[in-house]
Amino acid sequence: IKRYVEERELTVIFLADLSASGTFGSTGRTKNDVAAELCALLAFSAIKNNDKVGLVAFTDNIELTIPPAKGSSHVLRVIREILAYQPAHTGTDIAGALDYLAHITTKKCVVFLISDFQDEDYENPLRAVAKKHDVIAISLGDPREFELPNAGFITLQDAETGEWRSIDTGSAAVRKRFRQLGVARRELLRTQLIAAGIDQIDVSGGTDDYILDLVRFFRTRERRGGR
């Protein structure tokens, strides 16, 4: 007796944060570079399953929308836009991007929310979208967002607001406090995602291990009964 399992066509949408904080990278690759690599891997995996792939790129505005479609040429366009697109704005509005997605999608999708999550007040839209769609959060980070070098006084600029600030990295107390704040932000995000019932893949630009993280993540989901 043969058992036939129906494969359902999925729609995969990348909700990609292209705000100015994504241009930061201390290891030779920016967070936006890593985001593009991740989208490429996931998009080509999707078309192997005959799924549709779409893109919504956002900052504090919706920058670009590519409706879902199939085929390698379409996927290459999505990747090319993520790599080459020059956003008109610098800030981050995750809530606005989620609201926009909710209005343009009518059927259940697999949504990869790719961001460094340097934003606030998006929990309610996140919960609302997660009730309708299968949302997977890919949180991007950089080692220097958790560890400051001992380099004396340095001046840093916020890429999104343009604000400048001087920091005494020669102070052990300052370096410790910086690390504590970075860890606290990461733990807060994890708590928010768990509360919304959203799976998370935590990716650092300082390593290639995220490929193994992806494999482990999807094997875990497969064991839970998802594609």
Side-chain angles (χ1 to χ4, degrees), residues 108-112 129-130 132-136 199 221 227:
K108 183 174 181 178
C109 303
V110 177
V111 178
F112 288 97
V129 170
K132 181 178 179 182
H133 303 292
D134 181 8
V135 181
I136 300 167
D199 289 332
R221 282 176 67 91
R227 274 187 56 187

Side-chain angles (χ1 to χ4, degrees), residues 4-30:
Y4 294 93
V5 179
E6 180 183 0
E7 286 290 337
R8 293 183 300 162
E9 176 187 283
L10 298 177
T11 297
V12 177
I13 295 181
F14 298 112
L15 192 58
D17 176 3
L18 297 185
S19 59
S21 60
T23 62
F24 177 72
S26 64
T27 61
R29 289 184 301 174
T30 69

Side-chain angles (χ1 to χ4, degrees), residues 17-152:
D17 176 3
L18 297 185
S19 59
S21 60
T23 62
F24 177 72
S26 64
T27 61
R29 289 184 301 174
T30 69
K31 287 183 280 187
N32 284 350
D33 291 336
V34 176
E37 292 175 11
L38 287 164
C39 286
L41 286 169
L42 295 168
F44 279 115
S45 176
I47 63 170
K48 284 184 66 176
N49 290 322
N50 202 36
D51 298 329
K52 294 180 179 179
V53 175
L55 170 68
V56 175
F58 70 94
T59 54
D60 48 359
N61 283 260
I62 300 301
E63 297 278 349
L64 175 69
T65 302
I66 300 179
K70 297 181 181 180
S72 58
S73 60
H74 176 76
V75 166
L76 288 173
R77 180 193 171 198
V78 169
I79 296 168
R80 185 168 60 248
E81 291 289 359
I82 293 175
L83 283 170
Y85 187 79
Q86 297 296 317
H89 302 83
T90 60
T92 309
D93 184 2
I94 295 175
L98 290 165
D99 287 339
Y100 176 78
L101 179 69
H103 283 92
I104 66 169
T105 53
T106 56
K107 296 182 179 179
K108 183 174 181 178
C109 303
V110 177
V111 178
F112 288 97
L113 173 54
I114 306 172
S115 175
D116 58 9
F117 291 90
Q118 294 193 17
D119 193 18
E120 299 177 345
D121 301 326
Y122 53 81
E123 291 87 351
N124 289 336
L126 190 61
R127 288 172 184 265
V129 170
K131 287 180 180 179
K132 181 178 179 182
H133 303 292
D134 181 8
V135 181
I136 300 167
I138 301 181
S139 52
L140 303 176
D142 186 273
R144 281 289 174 254
E145 293 173 337
F146 299 93
E147 298 287 343
L148 284 174
N150 185 350

Side-chain angles (χ1 to χ4, degrees), residues 184-197:
R185 285 194 300 270
R186 182 173 59 189
E187 292 306 315
L188 176 60
L189 172 62
R190 183 172 294 144
T191 299
Q192 291 170 336
L193 294 175
I194 291 173

Side-chain angles (χ1 to χ4, degrees), residues 1 4 54 57 103 142-143 161 180 200:
I1 300 175
Y4 294 93
H103 283 92
D142 186 273
T161 66
Q180 290 173 336
Q200 177 189 14

